[in-house]
Amino acid sequence: MQKFSFDKITTHLISSGFVYPGSELYGGLANSWDFGPLGTLVKNHLKEAFRQHFIRENEYIVEIEPAIIMNPKVWEATGHVANFHDPLVDCKYCHSRYRADDLISSQHPDICCDGKSVEELNTLMVEKNITCPTCGKSSFTPIRQFQMMFKTFMGVTEEKSSVVYLRPETAQGIFVNFKNVMRTSRGKLPIGICDMGKAFRNEITPGNFIFRTREFEQMEIEFFCSPDEDLKWFEYFKKDCMSFVQSIGLSSENLRYRDHAKEELAFYSKATTDIEYLYPFGWGELMGIASRTNYDLNRHQESSGNDLTYLDPVTNERYIPHVVEPSFGCERLMLALLCQSYDEEELEKDTRIVMHFDPRIAPYSVAVLPLSKQLSDKAFEVYKNLSRHYDATFDTTGSIGKRYRREDAIGTPLCITVDFDTLEDNAVTVRDRDTMKQERIKLDELNKYLEEKLGFSRSYR
Ligand code: ATP
């Protein structure tokens, strides 16, 4: 179980500059969030860790950046225009609005609604006597299908012919570029193509802070392979994704796999597994791994009339590649890391809030703190040197104790204090966030020391 309430954690994240309510100046916009300086750093570091693990260190995977607005025929081909719906119900008494599948599963955790038709869900709503969580009554409107893709218009006229959609997933930008990537790269299977970027879904029930929003970032990989190897790669990514999320700081007791049962699987999928995380509000989907067979390429081949087959140079067989898809939500992963890191520790005289981030994820790797304002010039020199290799911060205000607490509360792994002795011995005090122990380090050995202690250096030149 998580030790701290979700309220406590989100209050800290909002007050310290990780996340701000969206459009706050104008009274906000429901369930929209902006990332402040600290949140933006965490998000960037998370994406960088993802890139390092899945792209740089994986010889098969390349990254592309497709457009957000695509030809609407893409979404017709994939079935999104016809089927990307959520089942919406309204309480007849208090008019609260819900997703019928969520409502049923929350009151009957043994019932899985994935893959159920509207008729089946309507029956379950009545048979299981589902009640409204707001007013307790149990009388709902029949389920209506609600299109989740955001529609807009391209060009100067708002006519049917100019309707376009904001992409609801990053994956399709990959499928429509499969042929391009094959043509312009080494052109052999297996090959993974990654896309990281914004996706938009007009969710009926966004909520739980940044867990479910209408605008979010996905980090998706489509891994193309031969039809007889897809289950092997599916197993590979199941393990690899779990080991990635643990390597950046999520603890194994808060993680579990949820294999989808046969009746839950999309009709084209051979296997699907979610990795779930125990958020303070309960278990929730962190990411998913799905075998998508050759469904998407098949659909695009049929709809576009372009040949998307692959000629195996060894067996001389021609086929449409099969695909395994690891799909991460950036903010969900970030939220898990923020919840996992948050801690309050009783000290002798007070309590400190400390965020135990992995050093690669922490907003700042180091803080440089002059003991007195008179030492600001020297300390600034140290800061300028370090900021070429790390996200560093420089703070001169308040007592040194207060500044340590501030850095603990935002998760800075190391504080470097410049004191009067520094001017004589050319050394600084380095304080460790987790142990609070201090060490004296010579300035000309500082870079090497930090690299060892933090386990990395981002050298920008
Ligand atoms: P859920 O069941 O929670 O709605 P999903 O199964 O529809 O998620 P996918 O379509 O598989 O999600 O998307 C892949 C990943 O994208 C999810 O595992 C999640 O991390 C992220 N994601 C999906 N929808 C949202 C959202 N509205 N807000 C934030 N992240 C999202």
Side-chain angles (χ1 to χ4, degrees):
M1 261 313 278
Q2 295 280 2
K3 273 190 344 206
F4 303 100
S5 75
F6 199 37
D7 245 12
K8 189 169 239 184
I9 297 172
T10 53
T11 304
H12 175 64
L13 296 175
I14 292 170
S15 64
S16 54
F18 284 89
V19 181
Y20 304 131
S23 313
E24 199 178 11
L25 213 56
Y26 288 92
L29 175 70
N31 297 295
S32 92
W33 301 97
D34 295 340
F35 292 96
L38 302 177
T40 304
L41 284 166
V42 169
K43 221 170 163 195
N44 287 343
H45 296 164
L46 181 53
K47 287 194 265 187
E48 208 34 50
F50 179 91
R51 261 194 194 105
Q52 182 68 27
H53 182 95
F54 288 103
I55 302 169
R56 267 186 220 120
E57 291 180 16
N58 188 315
E59 67 273 33
Y60 297 115
I61 305 180
V62 294
E63 183 180 356
I64 62 169
E65 191 186 315
I68 287 177
I69 297 177
M70 301 167 81
N71 188 320
K73 286 183 185 153
V74 170
W75 307 112
E76 283 160 25
T78 55
H80 279 82
V81 172
N83 302 318
F84 197 56
H85 294 139
D86 263 352
L88 176 87
V89 285
D90 292 315
C91 169
K92 282 190 184 163
Y93 287 91
C94 71
H95 306 293
S96 297
R97 182 159 282 181
Y98 304 99
R99 262 175 70 169
D101 51 346
D102 283 352
L103 209 51
I104 296 166
S105 302
S106 65
Q107 294 178 25
H108 292 272
D110 52 309
I111 300 179
C112 174
C113 294
D114 287 9
K116 293 229 181 315
S117 68
V118 169
E119 291 69 35
E120 286 170 313
L121 292 175
N122 266 327
T123 311
L124 279 171
M125 290 288 293
V126 177
E127 268 177 9
K128 300 290 170 189
N129 199 23
I130 301 298
T131 53
C132 170
T134 311
C135 71
K137 301 262 175 27
S138 87
S139 178
F140 293 94
T141 58
I143 293 170
R144 279 166 292 147
Q145 289 288 39
F146 176 76
Q147 169 57 260
M148 288 171 72
M149 279 200 296
F150 280 99
K151 239 188 217 177
T152 186
F153 300 93
M154 192 144 122
V156 289
T157 51
E158 295 195 0
E159 304 165 346
K160 208 162 170 234
S161 61
S162 60
V163 165
V164 287
Y165 301 95
L166 300 187
R167 63 179 179 190
E169 59 179 32
T170 50
Q172 297 307 325
I174 298 174
F175 289 117
V176 301
N177 278 296
F178 169 69
K179 214 177 157 179
N180 286 333
V181 176
M182 288 301 268
R183 181 175 54 80
T184 53
S185 66
R186 66 193 170 88
K188 261 195 164 151
L189 294 187
I191 187 169
I193 306 177
C194 171
D195 179 14
M196 296 161 73
K198 290 269 185 183
F200 304 83
R201 295 183 188 179
N202 203 356
E203 299 273 1
I204 302 171
T205 49
N208 280 334
F209 197 43
I210 57 171
F211 179 83
R212 185 183 301 284
T213 49
R214 296 191 170 103
E215 173 182 340
F216 55 98
E217 278 193 71
Q218 286 187 318
M219 308 187 288
E220 293 194 297
I221 297 166
E222 305 305 323
F223 195 84
F224 300 87
C225 60
S226 77
D228 48 356
E229 289 206 320
D230 60 352
L231 288 177
K232 177 186 101 182
W233 286 110
F234 177 80
E235 289 305 323
Y236 168 86
F237 280 110
K238 249 178 96 166
K239 287 204 193 87
D240 194 41
C241 291
M242 185 59 101
S243 94
F244 169 66
V245 296
Q246 291 182 3
S247 76
I248 55 172
L250 298 185
S251 77
S252 55
E253 71 260 27
N254 291 333
L255 289 163
R256 69 180 186 195
Y257 289 114
R258 192 181 77 77
D259 294 329
H260 287 212
K262 260 218 166 91
E263 55 279 13
E264 270 183 82
L265 291 178
F267 67 90
Y268 50 78
S269 176
K270 280 194 202 166
T272 299
T273 295
D274 295 337
I275 294 182
E276 296 187 333
Y277 180 75
L278 184 56
Y279 293 92
F281 50 82
W283 288 98
E285 176 179 328
L286 185 64
M287 60 87 54
I289 306 132
S291 121
R292 300 183 64 92
T293 61
N294 60 5
Y295 173 75
D296 303 83
L297 285 183
N298 227 333
R299 295 296 307 127
H300 290 305
Q301 173 165 289
E302 266 173 36
S303 300
S304 71
N306 277 293
D307 179 8
L308 297 178
T309 56
Y310 170 72
L311 179 64
D312 190 311
V314 179
T315 62
N316 240 359
E317 265 179 288
R318 188 172 277 285
Y319 55 83
I320 295 185
H322 276 218
V323 168
V324 175
E325 175 194 75
S327 172
F328 283 86
C330 187
E331 289 83 356
R332 284 203 192 169
L333 186 49
M334 180 175 170
L335 182 61
L337 287 168
L338 293 167
C339 295
Q340 178 83 54
S341 310
Y342 184 91
D343 200 6
E344 288 177 15
E345 284 176 12
E346 296 290 337
L347 303 176
E348 255 174 49
K349 292 199 186 119
D350 62 346
T351 307
R352 68 165 184 158
I353 293 181
V354 53
M355 305 279 290
H356 293 288
F357 290 117
D358 180 284
R360 285 172 305 158
I361 302 298
Y364 295 112
S365 314
V366 287
V368 180
L369 316 172
L371 193 62
S372 144
K373 286 223 165 98
Q374 294 163 43
L375 295 160
S376 289
D377 287 352
K378 180 69 188 168
F380 195 69
E381 210 181 282
V382 175
Y383 160 76
K384 284 306 271 183
N385 169 34
L386 292 180
S387 63
R388 282 195 258 133
H389 306 283
Y390 296 103
D391 285 299
T393 178
F394 183 69
D395 187 4
T396 59
T397 46
S399 72
I400 194 73
K402 282 215 175 99
R403 280 182 274 166
Y404 283 154
R405 288 286 177 278
R406 256 200 315 262
E407 296 304 327
D408 291 343
I410 64 170
T412 311
L414 298 172
C415 286
I416 294 164
T417 306
V418 173
D419 54 27
F420 287 101
D421 287 344
T422 307
L423 304 178
E424 306 300 323
D425 64 1
N426 242 357
V428 287
T429 301
V430 182
R431 173 189 176 271
D432 182 290
R433 173 195 69 198
D434 298 336
T435 62
M436 294 191 279
K437 291 218 172 89
Q438 308 194 355
E439 273 186 90
R440 195 81 185 157
I441 305 292
K442 288 271 180 214
L443 274 176
D444 54 11
E445 286 163 16
L446 188 59
N447 279 354
K448 194 163 157 277
Y449 173 86
L450 294 182
E451 195 166 338
E452 268 174 35
K453 198 88 176 140
L454 296 167
F456 73 97
S457 152
R458 300 188 177 98
S459 213
Y460 293 112
R461 64 174 184 182

